[in-house]
């Protein structure tokens, strides 16, 4: 592969555009609520609609990526994202913002699906796990930079400029994809886009024990991350009184946990299997989730304690994501687009559910966020233990 570093950078940016779109405007929740004369819970729904859009949109891109190759659907998706971002910048109604965020998500998820499919195209199964860890380095920079950039922009500019910034960023990624990213799969023109054929391909993926087992393990584990995204702004800024810049720094510190974990994971993969690493990380994450709930119930949850516990929680997730993703996608090549779409769809659907539950259970305490985080971690561990003992999976990574 020519220009491997450039290719990895673009793949990372394509993967990060969705997360960056989430994290950049988190510090602006209270300002947007005031501007639209609504409450923070309604603004949180714009985050939920984004998750739903990503979950739904990936099901569209999967078949398109398998039929027309990887780049054409990517370029269309990025074009949709640019238009939606411009409209978000100029909207003056919370309901319109919720709808436009859904449309923005439809554009961004093409990059997420395409990047995962291209990793499966380019690399063998074990190498793919290392590449996913490397991509997480780029993705992990997003929650470190985005809230800080958002907080800085809010100190000098109106919140609408956040979406103008996203428009410019997406345009740069679009140009990089067009001119610098090599096509990894020309597509199979014989694949039918009729509903029956698409459903048949999806069923072929879903009926694979390796895929569905490790897809669900990783997706349920990710529920805690999405619960954190939905609730962190209120808890840190309102309950603990952090300023927007302080919140950005706290968010960056916590996000660094995933970067550290994913890079350690690349080294661990030289000696251990992906399944073993992800199982140990599952145990770690579940223990931390339980500790958070115990600390809260005993009124021991000071801000430093919360910060450290969430850091340790996401540290565990940094090992779970790349390994379960690589295992889930390992059985597929020709249907890598559909498999990647289903993987992302299920993960985002669970993420949307987690963020919606945090919003619906909002009671001006940390209970909704922390209880959802703990539940997701424990449920993922229980499933992982069941899979290891009772489910036969066909993968060199297990």
């Amino acid at each position: 592969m020519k220009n491997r570093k450039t290719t990895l950078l673009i793949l990372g940016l394509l993967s990060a555009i969705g997360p960056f779109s989430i994290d950049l405007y988190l510090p602006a929740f209270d300002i947007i609520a005031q501007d639209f004369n609504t409450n923070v819970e309604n603004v949180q729904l714009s985050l939920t609609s984004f998750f739903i859009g990503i979950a739904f949109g990936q099901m569209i891109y999967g078949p398109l990526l398998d039929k027309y190759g990887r780049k054409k659907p990517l370029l269309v998706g990025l074009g949709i994202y640019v238009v939606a971002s411009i409209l978000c910048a100029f909207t003056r109604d919370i309901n319109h913002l919720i709808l436009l965020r859904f449309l923005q998500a439809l554009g961004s998820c093409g990059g997420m699906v395409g990047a995962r499919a291209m990793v499966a195209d380019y690399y063998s199964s074990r190498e793919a796990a290392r590449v996913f860890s490397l991509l997480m380095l780029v993705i992990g920079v997003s929650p470190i930079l985005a809230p800080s950039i958002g907080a800085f922009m809010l100190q000098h500019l109106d919140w609408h400029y956040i979406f103008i910034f996203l428009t410019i960023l997406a345009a740069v990624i679009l140009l990089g994809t067009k001119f610098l990213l090599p096509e990894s799969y020309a597509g199979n023109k014989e694949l039918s886009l009729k509903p029956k054929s698409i459903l048949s391909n999806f069923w072929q993926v879903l009926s694979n024990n390796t895929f569905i087992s490790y897809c669900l393990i990783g997706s349920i584990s990710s529920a805690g991350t999405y619960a954190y995204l939905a609730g962190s702004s209120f808890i840190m800024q309102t309950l603990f009184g952090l300023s927007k810049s302080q919140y950005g720094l706290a968010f960056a510190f916590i996000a660094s946990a995933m970067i550290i974990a994913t890079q350690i994971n690349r080294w661990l993969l030289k000696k251990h299997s992906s399944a073993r690493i992800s199982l140990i990380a599952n145990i770690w994450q579940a223990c931390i989730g339980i500790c958070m709930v115990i600390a809260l119930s005993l009124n021991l949850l000071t801000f430093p304690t919360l910060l450290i516990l969430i850091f340790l929680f996401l540290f565990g997730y940094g090992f779970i994501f790349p390994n379960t993703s690589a295992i889930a996608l390992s059985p597929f090549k020709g249907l890598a687009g559909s498999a990647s779409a289903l993987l992302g769809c299920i993960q985002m659907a669970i993420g949307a559910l987690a963020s919606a539950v945090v919003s619906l259970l909002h009671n001006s305490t940390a209970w909704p966020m922390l209880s959802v985080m703990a539940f997701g971690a424990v449920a993922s561990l229980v499933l992982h233990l069941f899979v290891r003992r009772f489910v036969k999976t066909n993968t060199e990574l297990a």
Side-chain angles (χ1 to χ4, degrees):
M1 186 195 309
K2 296 180 179 179
N3 298 320
R4 185 174 187 270
K5 292 183 179 179
T6 300
T7 298
L8 288 174
L9 176 61
I10 297 174
L11 290 176
L13 291 173
L14 286 168
S15 301
I17 186 67
F20 204 84
S21 303
I22 294 168
D23 302 327
L24 190 66
Y25 87 135
L26 290 179
F29 271 22
D30 55 343
I31 295 177
I32 295 174
Q34 294 173 13
D35 195 21
F36 288 148
N37 194 27
T38 186
N39 52 44
V40 174
E41 296 93 282
N42 285 334
V43 179
Q44 286 177 333
L45 290 177
S46 69
L47 181 61
T48 300
S49 72
F50 192 89
F51 291 149
I52 294 173
I54 289 181
F56 174 77
Q58 291 184 80
M59 300 296 287
I60 298 174
Y61 283 102
L64 295 177
L65 289 163
D66 289 334
K67 183 175 179 65
Y68 297 110
R70 310 309 188 201
K71 288 186 64 171
K72 290 180 181 178
L74 282 179
L75 295 174
V76 172
L78 288 169
I80 293 172
Y81 182 94
V82 168
V83 173
S85 298
I86 294 172
L87 294 175
C88 283
F90 292 100
T91 187
R92 294 294 184 271
D93 181 84
I94 185 61
N95 293 320
H96 292 165
L97 180 63
I98 293 171
L99 178 61
L100 289 170
R101 286 284 287 172
F102 175 83
L103 182 63
Q104 191 184 38
L106 291 181
S108 71
C109 63
M112 300 170 69
V113 180
R116 285 193 300 265
M118 294 177 98
V119 169
D121 293 336
Y122 288 137
Y123 306 101
S124 65
S125 299
R126 186 172 289 273
E127 178 65 15
R130 297 190 182 97
V131 174
F132 276 125
S133 293
L134 193 59
L135 291 185
M136 279 295 289
L137 176 61
V138 181
I139 297 172
V141 170
S142 165
I144 288 181
L145 294 179
S148 299
I149 294 174
F152 176 81
M153 293 179 69
L154 290 172
Q155 290 178 348
H156 303 279
L157 300 167
D158 188 83
W159 67 264
H160 298 84
Y161 283 91
I162 289 176
F163 291 99
I164 293 176
F165 178 86
L166 288 173
T167 301
I168 297 171
L169 177 64
V172 171
I173 297 174
L174 189 154
L175 292 174
T177 300
K178 171 68 176 178
F179 297 107
L180 300 176
L181 185 66
E183 178 62 271
S184 64
Y185 179 68
N188 182 358
K189 299 301 189 295
E190 295 181 1
L191 281 178
S192 172
L193 293 180
K194 293 181 179 179
K196 184 177 181 180
S197 178
I198 291 174
L199 291 175
S200 176
N201 290 337
F202 280 144
W203 178 248
Q204 183 179 339
V205 175
L206 284 171
S207 59
N208 182 281
N209 285 341
T210 298
F211 174 84
I212 194 62
S213 298
Y214 284 92
C215 172
L216 287 176
I217 290 168
S219 297
I220 295 173
S221 171
S222 72
T225 304
Y226 291 104
Y228 162 69
L229 291 173
S232 62
S233 177
F234 171 81
I235 290 174
M236 293 187 184
Q237 293 188 92
T238 302
L239 292 186
F240 288 102
L242 270 64
S243 66
K244 288 178 176 54
S245 58
Q246 289 172 330
Y247 171 65
L249 291 174
F251 203 95
F253 169 72
I254 290 172
S256 69
M258 288 193 294
I259 294 179
I260 296 170
T262 52
Q263 299 319 296
I264 295 175
N265 184 60
R266 295 176 61 201
W267 175 76
L268 289 176
L269 282 166
K270 297 177 181 178
K271 300 180 179 180
H272 304 284
S273 70
S274 288
R276 178 175 176 78
I277 295 170
S278 59
L279 176 60
I280 294 173
N282 253 160
I283 296 171
W284 169 276
Q285 190 186 55
C287 290
I288 298 300
I290 293 171
C291 287
M292 289 193 296
V293 171
I294 293 174
L296 181 59
S297 63
L298 296 178
N299 293 320
L300 299 175
L301 198 67
T302 62
F303 179 71
T305 302
L306 176 69
L307 200 66
I308 292 171
L309 286 174
I310 296 179
F311 177 94
L312 295 176
F313 186 92
L314 292 188
F315 181 76
Y317 181 65
F319 292 98
I320 296 169
F321 169 81
N323 289 297
T324 56
S325 296
I327 295 174
L329 294 177
S330 62
F332 308 101
K333 287 297 180 183
L335 291 177
S338 296
S340 175
L342 281 170
L343 177 68
C345 175
I346 293 171
Q347 183 186 63
M348 286 299 171
I350 292 176
L353 177 62
S355 66
V357 169
V358 171
S359 180
L360 291 172
L361 296 181
H362 180 79
N363 60 358
S364 299
T365 73
W367 273 110
M369 184 185 84
L370 295 186
S371 59
V372 173
M373 290 175 71
F375 177 83
V378 172
S380 177
L381 173 59
V382 171
L383 176 61
H384 205 152
L385 293 172
F386 175 83
V387 167
R388 292 284 287 183
R389 183 165 184 176
F390 298 108
V391 179
K392 183 179 181 181
T393 57
N394 248 330
T395 172
E396 65 184 81
L397 302 179

